Structures are given as C-alpha cells and as structure tokens.
Amino acid sequence: GYQKNSDKYGAAPIFTPDNLGTVSNKYTSVLGGWQSQISNKSLNEFVFQYTKFDNTISPDSNNPTIYFPNGVISGQNPQTPQSTHQTKYQFKDDISYSTEIAGQSHDFKFGINFIHEPTLSGDFSVGVTAPQFAVSDNSVTAPVTNITQYGGFFGQSTPVNQYSIYLQDDWRPNRRLTVNAGIRYDLWLGFDLDQHSNPIWQELSTQTKYNENYLQDFQNGGGGKLSNDHKNWGPRLGFSWDATGQSKTFVHGGWGIYYDFPYVNATILFPAGAVQSNYGVAYQSFPAENGCVRNADGTCFQIGQPLPPNSLSGNAVFPPNEIASPTLKTPFSRQASLGVSTQATDWLGLSLDLVNIGYRDLPFRFKANPVDPTTGARRFPDLGNFRLWYGKGHADYNAINLQFNARVSQKLLLQGFYTYANARGNVLVGADEFRLTAVTFQPDLSGGSKKDVSVNPLDPQCPYCSGPLDTDAHHRVTIGATYSAPWGLVLSSVFRYRSELPYMIFTSQDLNGDGFRVDLPPGVGHVNEGRGHSFTQFDLRVSKDFPIAGTFGIEVLAEVFNIFNAKNPAGFRGDISDPSSFGTPSKYAGDPLQGEQRLLQIGARVHF
C-alpha cells in the first residue's frame, strides 16, 4: 500500500486564516501472511509487516501569534512547524489448537508479537519564527499578559522495541457454558530516558525550598534516568452461559487488565527532545502587577512596541521546556462487564450490559513553574514556564447499555440503543489523551497563558482537579428504522440524541497569584462543572431499486441529514470574568466536526 496526501491543518471556527498550516504525509506499507494447517486440530498464522511514515506540518504564515481571551488565535499556528518519521518492522505468530481434555472441549491459542522501530523521530521546533502574545481583551490593542518566543532546534529520536506474548483458552465444560481465560505480557524497551543533562532536572533534583508531591519525586536523584516498565501482566477472564438451554437467553461477562503502548500521545517524545536538542524558551516576559507585561516606563506593553527586557537570566537562554517525572508508567485499564441478552418474543430481542472501566497511570502534562508570592517571580527563575509530564492521571467510566431489535412486521424493522454513563477523571480530554483541557473543545482555554495549566499547579491531583470528562454525556439515544413502502420504496431513518457535555467554569483573573490565569471562581466546586447544550439529529433516506437484467440494476436514492436543522451549539466559553461571552457557544452544526446543517443529497448506485 502507498498513500500520499496534503491538507489544511488546524481549521476551526475560532482560528483565523493565517493561523492555518499545511500537513503533508507519505505512508508505505508491505504486508505478508502465511497460514499453515499443521493438523486437523491446529493452525499456525504468521504475519510480517513493514511500514514507513513521514509527516510534515508547515505554517501558512509567520505573523506573530496572538491568543485572545475568547479563544480566537491569529498569526502563525503555534503547533508549526513539526514533522514525524517512523519506520517499523512487525513479526507476529499465532498458533491455534483444539482438543478435548476429560471429555471437555478446549480451544487454545498462543501468540507472540515483536515490533522493531529503528526510526521513531521528529522535529517539533514550533514557534521559533514568531513571538506569541496573550492579550487581556479581545483586541490587538489590548494590554499583553504574556510574551513567549522559542528558539533553537527541537529534534528527537527514540527507537523502540515491543515484545508481547499471550496464552488463552476457550473452555466449554458443558454445552451451555463457555469460559474464556487468558493472560498476556507486554514489554516495551526504549523508555529509559536519561535526563541528567536536562537543566530542569538538575534544578528540581537539588532544590530544597519547595516540597510538593510532584517535586518530591525528583529528590535523591529521582527521574535522572527513567525505567522501562517490566510489570505489564494482563490477565483476563470471561464467560457466556445459556441460561435456559434453548439458546434464547444468554448471560455474559468478563474482567481483564489491558495495557496501552507507553508512548501514548508523545509521553516521552517531548522530554526526549529536551535532552537531545537545543530548543527552548529564548525569550519570555512575565506579567507584573495588574496582570500585564510592563514596558521600561511602567506602561502596559502592547503588540507592535519594542519587546521589554527578557525575564530569563542570561545563562538561561534556550532552556528546555519539558521534563518527565519518574512517575511515568505504562497506562492501563481494569475493565469489567456483566450482561444478559434474550430473545423475548419471536419478533423482539433485548440486551442489558453493565460496564465499569478504571483507567490508571495515565500520562498528562502541566506547567509546573508557578509564581512564588513571596518573590513575585517564578519559583525557578532561571527556567522558563516548563511543562512537567506526570504519570498519575486517572479516569473512571461506568455505564448501563440497553439495546433492542424488533421486527414489528415483515415491512418494518426497528433497532435502538440507550446508554446511561458517567465518566470522571483528572485528564479531562479523555483516557487516551495527555492534555488537561482540549483547545478545540473549549476555545477560551486556548490562550498561551492558559494552555496546559492545572487549576492547582501545586497539586494537580487535588480533589477539585477531577471532574466530568469532556465527553461525559449522561444520556445517549440512537433509534433506527427501515420500512419497505409501496411501489418498491425503502425508507430508512436514524435519530440520535446526546445530553449536555460539560465545560470548565473558570476565571482568568489569577485569584491565587500563581501567575496562571485559570482559577476556579468562588462557588465552583470542581473542574468541568458547567454543562452546555444537548445534541439531536434526525436523518432520512428514501431509495428505490430499478432491476435491469439479472443482478444488474440501478438504485436511486435521496438522503436528508439533520432534517429539522437543529443548531446543536457547542464549544461553550467558561471564563466567568468575561460576562459578554460567558456561557455562550462558539460552534454550531455545519462547523468542522460538529455534524451537518440540513443537507440534502441525491444519488444513484449501480449494482451487478
């Protein structure tokens, strides 16, 4: 396989045209497999794959980057330029063996998997050509609250080897019960990053003035060299039971521990670049009293004026901006489910499932150099506003899933799903992300002084630092219908409903004086306490088939999406210190990733 494409990067309603980038990538893959029927009871399957991936993202402009409080970003995209390069070889072998032991059926499966990645590298020298400004109001003439300029070259290479082995048995002690039991072990080598040369580590490992939990991890040499995680054992157990013996009602369940690839979303990539590169904060000017950057004459700095003196000391030019905590481990989840499925009548099938998932050791990053109120300067003034990659993220998901399938008549089929769910954690974007908050989900958290900021940078695991995840919709409903109408017409429809998603209610007034402009205002008990708007969409499809000869024919169809033209507002702003925009949406149906406005399409399909 070969693929090459180019597209626009960063398109969103709140980003100006000069904030876009261009993404180009090439992907090559060679895959080969060999199946061998060893005997009438055993099968061997071998797979080899080679892949090569190259990706570049370049800016569409070099204008100064400006972060506005309402979430709008103009100027050079702050995530450009960057590139990623990967070369991977995979060798995988699985053996299946069926037998009977003491008159009971067993289907054994054993497998090994080896992935060799000699190239896993990239360039993330973002923001080196344009300064980044955060302003206090939605105007280019507003006082500036923070200035940052990056310099140098950020490149990293972290070759990785992955080893996996598993054994499982599908055991049928009788005709009504099947038990699935297995165990898996995963080992990833290449994450033992040596950070002794990182000035951030040198500072954190020797300082004695501050003693928060995340700083204690660096005491006595902690984090100087990270460790590969060797404890990734994943047992799992499941069952399916024919409750009546008539294959109409089944009870099923399972439990297991599942590990994710520890490189999930660049956990080590950025800290590795901090060691292997000379990239970092070349210039930074912190806000003084009243929350604005000051000129030499004491006035608030505005964009277009000569830059104030660099707040970084002379020996700290180009300090790195990333450090990895020794708490980083392989992220994993404990998953459990229990359910029942039944054919209630000849025309109705029902199922009920309970799901519990606990995600642990999730990596996330936060800015860990707050202002010391006793000095009015950053705690570590020789360093920039660096990001700490931390390994104690968590999330929990609990859900009840209901499903029905109904053949109401020979002409009408119905299918429906309902989910009641609750998802909470301290990595609000989700269990597969590393960001505390998502820029594209809540635009007024996108500013340079707000991005990657915990509401409590001294204790990002604090009780009120956990709350509903961005995706926490308590109710989700999907109902589909197909009706065979007269004259050969087929009508199909889908209705979707999702209850309100949460968003962060915060103030950008820096109530606690830590230098970060993301604080919970009085009366707000935890992150993501606000709720936005529900989502509804009803789609309809009408089709008719015109046979011509044999299996050859033409199907003519018409489809209407969002037939009632629901607006589906999203992207709610939560900055309570900006009353004009607080609680208002920034996205609607028709915007990128927001579903359609009312849309009609007609078409024809030839089948043979």
Side-chain angles (χ1 to χ4, degrees):
Y2 177 79
Q3 176 179 295
K4 180 180 180 180
N5 62 60
S6 178
D7 201 354
K8 283 300 170 187
Y9 172 79
I14 57 173
F15 300 155
T16 58
D18 65 345
N19 192 245
L20 299 179
T22 299
V23 56
S24 303
N25 60 61
K26 293 190 297 183
Y27 176 78
T28 303
S29 174
V30 178
L31 175 68
W34 174 53
Q35 294 184 348
S36 175
Q37 186 78 33
I38 300 175
S39 70
N40 63 339
K41 296 183 177 181
S42 57
L43 175 71
N44 188 82
E45 300 172 278
F46 174 78
V47 172
F48 166 80
Q49 185 177 25
Y50 163 84
T51 61
K52 182 175 177 59
F53 175 72
D54 294 289
N55 180 82
T56 60
I57 306 176
S58 58
D60 284 359
S61 83
N62 292 329
N63 298 331
T65 303
I66 305 176
Y67 296 92
F68 297 95
N70 62 2
V72 172
I73 303 178
S74 68
Q76 177 181 316
N77 189 295
Q79 303 303 315
T80 61
Q82 59 172 292
S83 66
T84 305
H85 309 282
Q86 182 183 39
T87 302
K88 178 189 296 186
Y89 301 86
Q90 180 183 19
F91 304 85
K92 183 174 182 289
D93 193 76
D94 299 285
I95 299 176
S96 303
Y97 178 70
S98 300
T99 188
E100 287 192 1
I101 301 177
Q104 297 178 352
S105 172
H106 291 264
D107 290 331
F108 293 101
K109 196 168 185 179
F110 170 78
I112 57 175
N113 184 35
F114 170 60
I115 297 178
H116 173 54
E117 294 184 71
T119 303
L120 189 56
S121 62
D123 164 19
F124 203 73
S125 303
V126 298
V128 298
T129 57
Q132 301 180 16
F133 301 97
V135 292
S136 60
D137 199 2
N138 300 318
S139 169
V140 293
T141 60
V144 174
T145 60
N146 191 283
I147 308 174
T148 302
Q149 173 75 61
Y150 294 91
F153 175 78
F154 185 103
Q156 52 74 40
S157 178
T158 54
V160 173
N161 286 333
Q162 307 176 45
Y163 305 86
S164 301
I165 186 171
Y166 75 91
L167 173 66
Q168 73 178 45
D169 177 21
D170 295 339
W171 168 40
R172 283 174 290 277
N174 57 57
R175 69 179 185 86
R176 295 172 56 185
L177 177 64
T178 300
V179 178
N180 319 102
I183 189 168
R184 180 184 177 95
Y185 178 72
D186 293 294
L187 174 63
W188 294 281
L189 300 181
F191 302 92
D192 49 345
L193 177 65
D194 192 329
Q195 301 187 112
H196 286 97
S197 62
N198 189 332
I200 301 177
W201 178 85
Q202 296 170 4
E203 179 88 11
L204 299 186
S205 63
T206 57
Q207 69 86 27
T208 57
K209 185 176 180 180
Y210 306 107
N211 201 40
E212 279 74 28
N213 289 334
Y214 66 87
L215 294 176
Q216 293 179 18
D217 300 324
F218 292 93
Q219 295 176 358
N220 302 315
K225 186 173 183 179
L226 304 181
S227 301
N228 292 309
D229 196 346
H230 294 81
K231 301 178 181 180
N232 304 326
W233 290 96
R236 59 279 318 261
L237 180 67
F239 75 94
S240 178
W241 176 52
D242 183 353
T244 64
Q246 299 178 355
S247 299
K248 289 188 175 183
T249 301
F250 288 88
V251 180
H252 50 263
W255 175 89
I257 298 177
Y258 304 87
Y259 287 88
D260 198 359
F261 182 50
Y263 210 99
V264 57
N265 277 330
T267 304
I268 302 296
L269 182 145
F270 289 101
V275 173
Q276 301 172 12
S277 308
N278 67 341
Y279 171 88
V281 180
Y283 171 93
Q284 192 152 39
S285 186
F286 302 124
E289 64 277 3
N290 298 325
C292 72
V293 173
R294 298 285 174 172
N295 292 311
D297 61 2
T299 59
C300 287
F301 173 83
Q302 291 183 327
I303 297 172
Q305 296 177 337
L307 294 179
N310 195 344
S311 296
L312 301 177
S313 59
N315 61 357
V317 175
F318 288 55
N321 202 44
E322 316 282 347
I323 185 71
S325 167
T327 59
L328 289 175
K329 298 179 181 179
T330 305
F332 72 94
S333 64
R334 298 187 185 96
Q335 303 186 20
S337 65
L338 180 65
V340 58
S341 301
T342 182
Q343 183 178 335
T345 68
D346 291 340
W347 59 273
L348 178 63
L350 301 171
S351 67
L352 168 68
D353 289 280
L354 307 178
V355 179
N356 169 261
I357 305 177
Y359 302 92
R360 296 298 181 265
D361 294 340
L362 300 178
F364 68 91
R365 67 190 187 192
F366 67 99
K367 292 182 178 179
N369 194 8
V371 168
D372 186 337
T374 63
T375 63
R378 297 285 176 184
R379 282 182 159 194
F380 309 107
D382 290 343
L383 304 173
N385 194 7
F386 63 84
R387 299 188 300 195
L388 176 68
W389 292 79
Y390 201 47
K392 294 185 178 181
H394 62 84
D396 291 286
Y397 175 81
N398 296 283
I400 301 174
N401 298 316
L402 298 173
Q403 178 182 351
F404 75 86
N405 293 275
R407 181 178 290 274
V408 181
S409 68
Q410 291 297 320
K411 295 184 176 183
L412 178 61
L413 301 177
L414 296 177
Q415 186 176 38
F417 304 88
Y418 168 73
T419 297
Y420 173 79
N422 183 281
R424 297 179 63 89
N426 63 350
V427 186
L428 301 182
V429 182
D432 59 348
E433 281 286 355
F434 60 82
R435 299 173 178 87
L436 290 176
T437 56
V439 173
T440 55
F441 180 79
Q442 185 169 340
D444 54 2
L445 287 173
S446 63
S449 59
K450 301 171 186 174
K451 186 179 178 182
D452 296 326
V453 173
S454 170
V455 294
N456 185 352
L458 302 182
D459 183 13
Q461 289 184 285
C462 70
Y464 58 85
C465 297
S466 296
L469 303 188
D470 292 347
T471 55
D472 180 41
H474 289 326
H475 306 279
R476 294 178 184 268
V477 177
T478 302
I479 299 176
T482 302
Y483 178 66
S484 299
W487 306 298
L489 296 176
V490 177
L491 307 180
S492 303
S493 62
V494 175
F495 171 77
R496 289 178 289 157
Y497 168 82
R498 186 213 66 221
S499 60
E500 302 87 349
L501 295 178
Y503 66 92
M504 178 94 76
I505 298 176
F506 71 100
T507 176
S508 57
Q509 293 180 341
D510 192 10
L511 300 180
N512 56 12
D514 60 8
F516 297 123
R517 301 167 66 83
V518 181
D519 293 325
L520 296 185
V524 176
H526 56 76
V527 296
N528 273 9
E529 188 167 295
R531 287 281 171 174
H533 195 277
S534 61
F535 173 94
T536 60
Q537 182 165 322
F538 183 72
D539 305 331
L540 180 65
R541 183 179 192 267
V542 181
S543 64
K544 180 176 173 58
D545 190 58
F546 294 90
I548 296 178
T551 59
F552 183 80
I554 299 177
E555 181 188 24
V556 178
L557 56 92
E559 296 173 311
V560 184
F561 300 94
N562 194 1
I563 192 170
F564 297 116
N565 208 25
K567 293 183 178 181
N568 293 327
F572 284 79
R573 303 176 177 94
D575 187 358
I576 202 170
S577 60
D578 185 3
S580 64
S581 64
F582 172 70
T584 61
S586 62
K587 306 174 185 177
Y588 296 89
D591 286 331
L593 305 179
Q594 298 305 308
E596 299 90 355
Q597 293 174 306
R598 183 187 293 125
L599 177 68
L600 168 67
Q601 67 179 22
I602 57 176
R605 185 174 67 93
V606 177
H607 60 83
F608 54 90

